[in-house]
Amino acid sequence: MTSDLLAPLDLAFWNMESDRHPMHLGALGVFTTHSPTAGAHAADLLAARAAAVPGLRMRIRDVWQPLSFGGAAREPDPDFDPLNHVRLHAPTGDFHAAAGRLMERPLERGRPPWEAHVLPGEDGVSFAVLFKFHHALADGLRALKLAAGVLDPVDLPERGPRAIEPPRSLLSDVRRLPGQFPELVRGALSDVGRALDIGASLARSTFGMRPSSALTSAPSGTRRTAGVVLDIDDVHRVRKSVGGTVNDVLIAVVAGALRRWLDERGDGSDGVAPRALIPVSRRRPHTAHPQGNRLSGYLIRLPVDDPDPLRRLDTVRTAMIRNKDAGPNRGAGAVALLADHVPALGHRLGGPLVGQAARLWFDILVTSVPLPGLGLKLGGHQLTEVYPFAPLAPGQSLAVAISTYRGRVHYGLVADARAVPDLDVFARAVTDEVGTLIAACQP
């Protein structure tokens, strides 16, 4: 039986989890069908196919070996049973209401930490599947790969053969060490300098304008989800008119929607500029830990207090350019990189404290999850909508995840249900903000 030690950031996610703050990712996929039994058939397919996906058989266990004392590792579960992970539910008329309740529940840690919940629609012409993957098992890219393994096969273009480097002997590596020593020292000093720079940037980020109290709350352990669908052509229309990237526009939409939402609920947006964490993947193909989270992030102030939609977009664009010029290894958003310098036992003992400290780092998460442009199916039924869901950090009330699929942008919204009972109002504000941006771009 083989095992794979968790990368430092995976270990941090595993140890910062609590009953009220589960650290799983989610994705709600909606499929069209013409059969009322399609949901039940989909559940059977998912259970049958899960057994053949190695990554879905991996559980996480504690490790107490000398060199990784206090760590954890992935290993195949000898008692793996797909029926423990795939659940068929009663028909529902509201996929998001059901998804919110299911997102509240932590994954069982004694077996592979993932679940697939099949939700037949009361209308008889649709069903949904909510996938849940623990962040220690998979990041967004890895979760997508695992989910794709249980969907219908997709014909992908063939890739050319990849050149294979000849293996190096241990003796040759040892002989190279003296020549590499100066570079190793420079690397270590660079790591120290980077850590100090990140710490200083984090301290600076805590000053200035305040977040809204609507984005922070005492944890209730409850969850509510909502989804918004936009036409990607509308987003491109704004981008082509004023410049920047698609991502800049999508983040600016969040800022404008927050302003509308706060004003409508009577909280006011004057002086509000919450810090948004924008995760950045540092994954490289064919690395030693292909399953491990390799994340950094950019941190920006969302100009919620600015009444002008085009100025808000310009502020976001300028901040993102500044972050990109500095790179994902610098600045307050790169705090996740410090996980690599913490020993395994430190993650185990300090995990809960790290989770509680997230509110000092950022106020809202805005993340993008890539999806393939190809149409996906399950049991021959077309996937028409897909809403990604991010975990909520302790003390935070709202997280936003965004995916683009087949010409449409899907916003997946997760909120603390007690702190944000009006999540539907925020969802409507996202749609309204796009219309405002389009109107502002008209000559």
Side-chain angles (χ1 to χ4, degrees), residues 41 64 66 181 216 218 254 263 305 310 314 336 364 384 389 397 442:
H41 178 56
W64 299 103
F181 185 74
T216 58
V254 174
D263 287 344
D305 62 316
L310 294 184
D314 185 64
I364 183 173
T384 56
F389 298 135
S397 303
Q442 300 300 321

Side-chain angles (χ1 to χ4, degrees), residues 287-308:
T287 57
H289 295 281
Q291 297 181 0
N293 279 282
R294 302 293 298 170
L295 293 173
S296 180
Y298 297 144
L299 199 68
I300 70 171
R301 292 273 184 180
L302 294 180
V304 173
D305 62 316
D306 193 328
D308 186 288

Side-chain angles (χ1 to χ4, degrees), residues 43-62:
D44 291 340
L45 280 177
L46 291 173
R49 293 171 178 175
V53 180
L56 296 179
R57 306 177 69 96
M58 303 298 282
R59 67 181 180 183
I60 296 177
R61 64 171 179 85
D62 294 335

Side-chain angles (χ1 to χ4, degrees), residues 191-217:
D191 285 346
V192 172
R194 183 181 304 126
L196 292 174
D197 178 67
I198 292 171
S201 297
L202 180 59
R204 289 193 297 270
S205 75
T206 61
F207 296 103
M209 305 182 80
R210 62 178 177 89
S212 168
S213 59
L215 298 177
T216 58
S217 66

Side-chain angles (χ1 to χ4, degrees), residues 31-394:
F31 298 82
T32 56
T33 179
H34 299 290
S35 169
T37 62
H41 178 56
D44 291 340
L45 280 177
L46 291 173
R49 293 171 178 175
V53 180
L56 296 179
R57 306 177 69 96
M58 303 298 282
R59 67 181 180 183
I60 296 177
R61 64 171 179 85
D62 294 335
V63 174
W64 299 103
Q65 299 170 357
L67 295 180
S68 54
F69 190 77
R74 301 181 190 87
E75 67 176 14
D77 182 356
D79 301 318
F80 175 70
D81 183 351
L83 296 179
N84 290 330
H85 301 265
V86 179
R87 319 276 172 77
L88 176 63
H89 295 261
T92 177
D94 189 336
F95 293 140
H96 279 288
R101 292 189 294 269
L102 292 169
M103 286 294 289
E104 293 177 5
R105 306 175 188 175
L107 295 164
E108 189 169 326
R109 292 168 73 94
R111 58 192 184 199
W114 68 275
E115 292 173 353
H117 296 270
V118 181
L119 308 168
E122 288 181 347
D123 56 12
V125 296
S126 64
F127 68 89
V129 179
L130 174 68
F131 289 101
K132 293 168 57 178
F133 296 98
H134 198 286
H135 218 327
L137 180 70
D139 60 8
L141 291 173
R142 177 67 178 166
L144 172 62
K145 184 176 180 180
L146 291 174
V150 293
L151 298 179
D152 292 354
V154 177
D155 293 328
L156 297 175
E158 294 187 3
R159 300 175 62 180
R162 184 168 51 92
I164 300 177
E165 296 183 2
R168 297 186 310 193
S169 68
L170 177 61
L171 180 60
S172 66
D173 286 341
V174 171
R175 286 173 175 169
R176 267 192 284 267
L177 280 177
Q180 292 177 339
F181 185 74
E183 184 63 30
L184 293 175
V185 172
R186 283 195 295 271
L189 293 175
S190 176
D191 285 346
V192 172
R194 183 181 304 126
L196 292 174
D197 178 67
I198 292 171
S201 297
L202 180 59
R204 289 193 297 270
S205 75
T206 61
F207 296 103
M209 305 182 80
R210 62 178 177 89
S212 168
S213 59
L215 298 177
T216 58
S217 66
S220 71
T222 60
R223 293 292 181 270
R224 186 184 302 272
T225 74
V228 182
V229 182
L230 307 178
D231 192 325
I232 190 63
D233 289 340
D234 290 338
V235 178
H236 281 301
R237 189 175 298 118
V238 175
R239 178 190 61 82
K240 291 177 182 178
S241 176
V242 299
T245 68
V246 166
N247 203 40
D248 295 341
V249 177
L250 298 178
I251 295 171
V253 166
V254 174
L258 284 172
R259 178 181 177 84
R260 291 171 178 271
W261 174 59
L262 293 174
D263 287 344
E264 184 163 343
R265 62 169 19 205
D267 288 346
S269 55
D270 291 342
V272 175
R275 296 161 300 175
L277 177 65
I278 317 294
V280 178
S281 175
R282 298 174 62 248
R283 178 185 293 276
R284 294 180 180 178
H286 317 303
T287 57
H289 295 281
Q291 297 181 0
N293 279 282
R294 302 293 298 170
L295 293 173
S296 180
Y298 297 144
L299 199 68
I300 70 171
R301 292 273 184 180
L302 294 180
V304 173
D305 62 316
D306 193 328
D308 186 288
L310 294 184
R311 279 205 308 265
R312 287 196 296 267
L313 175 53
D314 185 64
T315 299
V316 168
R317 181 173 62 242
T318 301
M320 289 298 288
I321 290 174
R322 186 164 55 246
N323 274 295
K324 291 172 184 177
D325 287 344
N329 297 331
R330 295 279 181 180
V335 167
L337 301 183
L338 300 183
D340 292 341
H341 305 284
V342 177
L345 187 59
H347 283 295
R348 180 173 294 275
L349 298 177
L353 294 177
V354 171
Q356 294 296 328
R359 71 179 72 188
L360 302 176
W361 178 20
F362 63 97
D363 305 304
I364 183 173
L365 179 73
V366 182
T367 183
S368 295
V369 181
L371 289 176
L374 300 171
L376 301 175
K377 296 181 179 181
L378 177 57
H381 305 291
Q382 184 72 52
L383 175 66
T384 56
E385 303 170 38
V386 55
Y387 302 97
F389 298 135
L392 278 182

